[in-house]
Amino acid sequence: MPTGHSQHSQNGQLDSRRFRQVLGRFATGVVAITAVDPMDGQPCGLAANSFTSVSLDPPLIAFCVAYTSTSWPRLRGAKAMTVNVLAEHQQAVCAQLATKGGDKFAGLAWTVSPGGNPVLEGALAWLDCAVEAEHPAGDHLIVVARVLQLDTYAEGGPLVFFRGGYGGFVEPS
């Protein structure tokens, strides 16, 4: 039943806190997008919960990146990047990759994907991708990428973001 909460701020726009609160009721998985920065040869990455499959033919995925991201320009400079599907025990990895600045890979264990990018130890799956298109959308950029290679990696449940917090998923028996 509707709650009757005001949905608009004083300037007539939708209230951003309310928008977040309502959309926070939609559970999402969490991914880490990684690459090797071609400028300095160091791994770079970011965490995202706005990830989806787009097309089977051709195989396309999409994710959203804030315009304010300082990591996206480093990732974008690489010819390919790797999407790591994070497992429920990787909340600390997510938090580390979500921070601004510093060495985001300090203490993280990873191997190299066939495309040459970091596959985080414990990730459920990885997808090597190349950017096909970028679409401006409000305060974010929608990135569409072609999947070049992919595989499952570790076993376990996914890291889930819901109502502003992280958790896991229990498979029905």
Side-chain angles (χ1 to χ4, degrees), residues 16-101:
S16 60
R17 285 178 300 173
R18 183 74 176 142
F19 187 78
R20 259 195 156 161
Q21 180 189 38
V22 170
L23 291 181
R25 292 176 178 247
F26 179 70
T28 64
V30 183
V31 298
I33 302 161
T34 62
V36 173
D37 186 334
M39 300 297 282
D40 64 13
Q42 296 299 309
C44 56
L46 57 82
N49 70 338
S50 56
F51 170 80
T52 189
S53 61
V54 174
S55 169
L56 289 173
D57 187 17
L60 300 173
I61 56 95
F63 55 89
C64 297
V65 182
Y67 278 119
T68 57
S69 172
T70 55
S71 298
W72 177 242
R74 295 183 69 202
L75 285 159
R76 183 62 179 98
K79 288 184 180 180
M81 58 197 67
T82 300
V83 175
N84 293 262
V85 178
L86 297 182
E88 60 189 331
H89 68 275
Q90 291 183 299
Q91 185 175 342
V93 172
C94 175
Q96 188 166 329
L97 288 171
T99 60
K100 290 203 180 285

Side-chain angles (χ1 to χ4, degrees), residues 66-154:
Y67 278 119
T68 57
S69 172
T70 55
S71 298
W72 177 242
R74 295 183 69 202
L75 285 159
R76 183 62 179 98
K79 288 184 180 180
M81 58 197 67
T82 300
V83 175
N84 293 262
V85 178
L86 297 182
E88 60 189 331
H89 68 275
Q90 291 183 299
Q91 185 175 342
V93 172
C94 175
Q96 188 166 329
L97 288 171
T99 60
K100 290 203 180 285
D103 180 2
K104 293 186 177 193
F105 283 78
L108 295 184
W110 54 278
T111 60
V112 179
S113 75
N117 297 310
V119 173
L120 301 170
E121 190 65 39
L124 300 179
W126 59 265
L127 302 90
D128 274 343
C129 305
V131 173
E132 289 264 316
E134 296 178 34
H135 305 282
D139 57 3
H140 279 67
L141 191 63
I142 301 169
V143 179
V144 178
R146 181 181 294 260
V147 178
L148 306 171
Q149 300 181 67
L150 74 166
D151 206 352
T152 56
Y153 192 53

